[in-house]
Amino acid sequence: MIEITVLAVVALAVLTVGFLLRRHGGKVRAAHVTAASGSTRAGQLTAVGMTGDGPAIVHFSAEWCGPCEAVRRVVANVTDQLAQSPRPPQDIEVDIDAEPALARELNVLSLPTTFVFDAEGTERFRISGVPKATDLRSAVESLTTAA
């Protein structure tokens, strides 16, 4: 009987820890960065395709990352929905294995990680995990109309 009780307590503890670790997964969080941190970051973002014509959704992925496929679909869906906006968002996928310096610069600690940058290159939002399409669209939509 003691073994079953210990097992139940351990299982509950594992579930609690898992919940706490995943509670932020997929949530769009406003960035605490107020401006691009310098020419290094700006140059790296330009090198991966950020033009500055409008907002950009930059998502880090890798071939071996399973959830990254879901992020690709969500980002493609949102950019398609906002394609007719005055300043349509860019969909930029970055392979973390090909661009480790940019991943370090942006403090990418896990995959998938998605960023929303405004046209000036300021990080506005960060999402760890797979975002909900409605949340991502809400975050990006206001940036597509700004002049």
Side-chain angles (χ1 to χ4, degrees):
M1 186 65 162
I2 292 177
E3 293 88 11
I4 293 173
T5 304
V6 170
L7 220 89
V9 169
V10 169
L12 184 61
V14 167
L15 287 172
T16 302
V17 169
F19 173 76
L20 292 174
L21 291 176
R22 292 194 165 268
R23 72 178 178 207
H24 292 297
K27 290 189 180 180
V28 177
R29 295 185 308 272
H32 299 290
V33 179
T34 56
S37 67
S39 61
T40 302
R41 178 183 288 186
Q44 291 170 327
L45 289 170
T46 300
V48 296
M50 199 163 128
T51 63
D53 295 333
I57 303 171
V58 178
H59 50 109
F60 282 83
S61 65
E63 283 185 33
W64 45 265
C65 173
C68 294
E69 181 59 36
V71 173
R72 285 183 199 102
R73 287 191 302 271
V74 170
V75 172
N77 181 21
V78 169
T79 55
D80 286 347
Q81 289 175 8
L82 299 173
Q84 300 305 314
S85 301
R87 298 175 90 181
Q90 290 182 273
D91 175 355
I92 301 171
E93 183 173 359
V94 179
D95 185 331
I96 196 167
D97 296 325
E99 298 290 340
L102 180 57
R104 277 191 304 276
E105 176 69 26
L106 294 173
N107 292 323
V108 175
L109 302 175
S110 64
L111 291 181
T113 297
T114 305
F115 296 89
V116 176
F117 291 94
D118 63 19
E120 290 75 37
T122 302
E123 180 185 329
R124 301 292 293 271
F125 300 97
R126 172 187 290 251
I127 305 115
S128 297
V130 180
K132 292 181 182 175
T134 54
D135 293 344
L136 183 59
R137 181 182 170 134
S138 295
V140 176
E141 197 163 26
S142 64
L143 302 175
T144 63
T145 58

